[in-house]
Amino acid sequence: MIHRTDYHIHSLFSDGKAKPEEYISAAASAGISEMGFSEHLNLFVPGQHWCMDPGRLPEYVSQIKKLARREKKIAIRVGLEVDYFSGKEKETYEFLNQFDLDYIIGSVHYMGDSTVDSGPDFYAGKNIDNVYRDYFARVIMAVESGLFDIIGHCDLVRIFNFKPSFDPEPLYTDLASALKKHDIAFELNTNGRNRPLGDFYPDRKYLHVFREKNVPVCVNSDSHFPARVGQYFNEAYSLLCDAGYNEMCTFKKRERFSLPADYSTI
Ligand SMILES: [Zn+2]
Ligand SMILES: [Zn+2]
């Protein structure tokens, strides 16, 4: 029996396509026991259509908490997916600290002025080896910032299938070591299956690296519409089983809990 959680969900508060309520009923149908909203928040590049206006944070938190109080079957958490910007840690901390959140996903979407997931053009003419090294270095800085509870899609740079010429395992090893050292979880994010990559983040080949370092894990859908809540989770659980995982983590009020998870029962 698995306590199914899904902490990476975007509603109309950011770039999701439906109201929070619609995701709750979808989660119930998908057998999810605990779900969390994680709207995009970007404090340093204003006017991005995919991000929530930071001024709406109080309204967002209070609306999700209201839904959580009303809901009987599913535990509902309120979180954010926050863009990490190096050098802006203090401002980010002070802003986030004002709100009563259950968890914060830290994600790297930006390299320079562009986002790595907006289109393949970002990669044109670039040295892909350097893009990989630079991306992982930024993710490790996000880990070291101590701002986040979960690191989102930690190898998003795979999204358009550009591959480095070298075996990137050492990048995953360094990342897993940093996650362990700073006691931060990673997610097995199933959304890459619907993107050109056609697979999850991180690369399934390296899940064992996270397991060897005992990095806490949760499975997330990164849903932008209700039908995706919990999508491909059985496959994700079986990958975690193969990697030797027998636990999952849950979050409440910025505290992480560990639950036994018998992934072999899926
Ligand atoms: Zn993201
Ligand atoms: Zn997301």
Side-chain angles (χ1 to χ4, degrees):
M1 180 74 182
I2 301 272
H3 179 76
R4 288 176 184 252
T5 63
D6 189 349
Y7 290 117
H8 195 148
I9 293 171
H10 300 278
S11 79
L12 287 172
F13 274 101
S14 61
D15 62 343
K17 303 288 182 268
K19 293 184 207 161
E21 295 89 313
E22 296 173 75
Y23 290 86
I24 297 168
S25 45
S29 313
I32 299 291
S33 306
E34 184 167 335
M35 67 183 294
F37 292 92
S38 59
E39 307 299 348
H40 285 291
L41 185 80
N42 171 343
L43 294 172
F44 303 104
V45 189
Q48 298 302 299
H49 67 90
W50 48 283
C51 297
M52 177 164 56
D53 174 349
R56 293 191 72 195
L57 247 296
E59 175 199 349
Y60 164 63
V61 172
S62 83
Q63 189 175 327
I64 302 300
K65 284 183 183 290
K66 197 158 132 194
L67 290 170
R69 282 194 298 274
R70 248 192 247 157
E71 173 61 33
K72 298 284 174 270
K73 281 186 273 179
I74 299 178
I76 297 172
R77 308 289 179 225
V78 59
L80 287 171
E81 180 182 12
V82 176
D83 268 90
Y84 171 71
F85 291 95
S86 159
K88 301 287 190 186
E89 291 81 356
K90 188 167 180 280
E91 293 98 309
T92 306
Y93 173 79
E94 283 171 0
F95 182 82
L96 295 172
N97 199 34
Q98 306 172 78
F99 303 100
D100 184 15
L101 298 165
D102 289 308
Y103 60 90
I104 300 173
I105 300 175
S107 291
V108 175
H109 298 106
Y110 282 90
M111 286 175 79
D113 294 334
S114 315
T115 52
V116 301
D117 56 341
S118 52
D121 287 358
F122 171 81
Y123 300 83
K126 289 196 170 73
N127 177 321
I128 301 302
D129 289 358
N130 289 342
V131 171
Y132 267 70
R133 288 193 192 97
D134 188 7
Y135 187 80
F136 275 78
R138 287 167 194 255
V139 174
I140 288 175
M141 283 196 284
V143 172
E144 292 171 345
S145 74
L147 291 166
F148 309 117
D149 305 296
I150 306 169
I151 287 295
H153 44 59
C154 68
D155 56 1
L156 180 64
V157 80
R158 287 167 56 243
I159 185 167
F160 296 109
N161 264 321
F162 292 94
K163 293 184 171 69
S165 65
F166 60 94
D167 175 1
E169 181 161 332
L171 300 179
Y172 290 89
T173 305
D174 289 349
L175 172 58
S177 300
L179 285 162
K180 185 64 194 168
K181 182 175 170 198
H182 295 274
D183 195 26
I184 294 169
F186 78 111
E187 62 170 9
L188 182 51
N189 178 315
T190 65
N191 193 27
R193 176 59 70 87
N194 300 312
R195 309 305 304 272
L197 171 66
D199 207 352
F200 303 158
Y201 312 104
D203 191 330
R204 57 182 69 202
K205 266 197 285 194
Y206 305 113
L207 277 176
H208 70 95
V209 173
F210 295 85
R211 174 60 189 155
E212 280 153 21
K213 306 269 182 205
N214 255 321
V215 182
V217 68
C218 51
V219 175
N220 287 333
S221 67
D222 205 348
S223 296
H224 289 70
F225 50 94
R228 279 218 65 249
V229 177
Q231 192 183 30
Y232 308 129
F233 275 24
N234 284 354
E235 184 180 348
Y237 294 143
S238 101
L239 290 178
L240 291 180
C241 183
D242 293 347
Y245 269 100
N246 51 23
E247 291 178 338
M248 65 169 62
C249 52
T250 63
F251 298 88
K252 192 176 182 184
K253 292 190 176 292
R254 304 289 316 270
E255 204 181 328
R256 191 183 72 233
F257 303 89
S258 180
L259 285 185
D262 186 356
Y263 295 110
S264 67
T265 59
I266 296 299

